[in-house]
């Protein structure tokens, strides 16, 4: 029974923290006229100033391509991102997405909320404790992903 309790506790902590983080991103990003999911896209594009294709952005953000495809029209129309090359017959699958100057300024504004969030949630937690937390959490995530792939393969689903 201890395993069931651990499974439930872990699941609930993940769900609760994910919902809280979503609410935080939503509050901050809406003040910039953007959606909560746009935060990770802009942050990743900021790290890749040379630009990324939609597929590469999907991989870098750990989001499915459909989520990227849904987010792009809004970000493009708001002028925070653009394609590095002109659109070719309505298709930009391989064109690189880059931050515009407005996007760079938006990311600078996002820094304030990321600093605020990190400080409010972990300033009183020691660096060694945080390093251990992230190391263990990454290990758990890798193992969960591998277990999910194994179960999907067993059930005949594509991972």
């Amino acid at each position: 029974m201890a395993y069931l309790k651990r499974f439930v506790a872990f699941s609930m902590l993940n769900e609760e923290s994910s919902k809280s983080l979503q609410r935080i991103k939503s509050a901050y990003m809406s003040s910039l006229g953007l959606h909560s999911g746009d935060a990770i896209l802009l942050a990743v594009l900021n790290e890749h100033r040379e630009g990324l294709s939609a597929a590469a952005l999907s991989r870098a953000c750990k989001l499915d391509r459909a989520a990227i495809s849904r987010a792009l029209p809004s970000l493009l129309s708001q002028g925070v991102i653009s394609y590095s090359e002109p659109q070719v017959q309505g298709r930009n699958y391989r064109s690189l997405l880059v931050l515009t100057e407005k996007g760079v300024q938006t990311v600078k504004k996002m820094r304030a909320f990321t600093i605020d969030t990190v400080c409010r949630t972990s300033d009183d937690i020691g660096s060694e404790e945080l390093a251990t937390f992230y190391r263990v959490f990454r290990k758990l995530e890798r193992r969960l992903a591998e277990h999910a792939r194994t179960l999907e393969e067993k059930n005949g689903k594509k991972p």
Side-chain angles (χ1 to χ4, degrees), residues 20-75:
S20 294
L21 186 57
Q22 184 68 22
R23 289 172 46 215
I24 290 166
K25 289 191 298 185
S26 182
Y28 282 118
M29 294 305 285
S30 67
S31 72
L32 299 174
L34 297 166
H35 300 103
S36 61
D38 298 338
I40 190 70
L41 302 178
L42 296 177
V44 168
L45 284 173
N46 188 62
E47 292 176 8
H48 297 273
R49 292 292 179 94
E50 72 283 2
L52 293 171
S53 67
L57 183 60
S58 171
R59 287 189 300 275
C61 293
K62 309 284 189 213
L63 295 171
D64 62 51
R65 287 183 177 191
I68 300 295
S69 293
R70 286 189 300 271
L72 292 183
S74 173
L75 293 169

Side-chain angles (χ1 to χ4, degrees), residues 23-151:
R23 289 172 46 215
I24 290 166
K25 289 191 298 185
S26 182
Y28 282 118
M29 294 305 285
S30 67
S31 72
L32 299 174
L34 297 166
H35 300 103
S36 61
D38 298 338
I40 190 70
L41 302 178
L42 296 177
V44 168
L45 284 173
N46 188 62
E47 292 176 8
H48 297 273
R49 292 292 179 94
E50 72 283 2
L52 293 171
S53 67
L57 183 60
S58 171
R59 287 189 300 275
C61 293
K62 309 284 189 213
L63 295 171
D64 62 51
R65 287 183 177 191
I68 300 295
S69 293
R70 286 189 300 271
L72 292 183
S74 173
L75 293 169
L76 288 162
S77 69
Q78 292 199 37
V80 292
I81 65 169
S82 66
Y83 286 104
S84 63
E85 302 170 7
Q87 194 166 342
V88 179
Q89 297 180 1
R91 297 181 185 243
N92 275 306
Y93 300 126
R94 293 195 175 129
S95 295
L96 299 182
L97 295 157
V98 295
L99 286 179
T100 62
E101 184 54 38
K102 181 178 180 182
V104 171
Q105 294 307 313
T106 299
V107 170
K108 286 181 181 177
K109 293 175 186 173
M110 286 171 45
R111 283 191 181 111
F113 96 72
T114 58
I115 290 168
D116 180 52
T117 300
V118 168
C119 289
R120 288 176 184 262
T121 59
S122 61
D123 256 6
D124 61 340
I125 301 172
S127 59
E128 284 184 32
E129 195 174 4
L130 280 173
T132 299
F133 167 77
Y134 283 112
R135 184 176 40 73
V136 171
F137 199 74
R138 278 188 208 95
K139 185 181 286 188
L140 288 169
E141 189 283 323
R142 283 192 303 272
R143 290 177 178 178
L144 286 168
E146 180 57 37
H147 185 53
R149 278 191 295 278
T150 301
L151 291 174

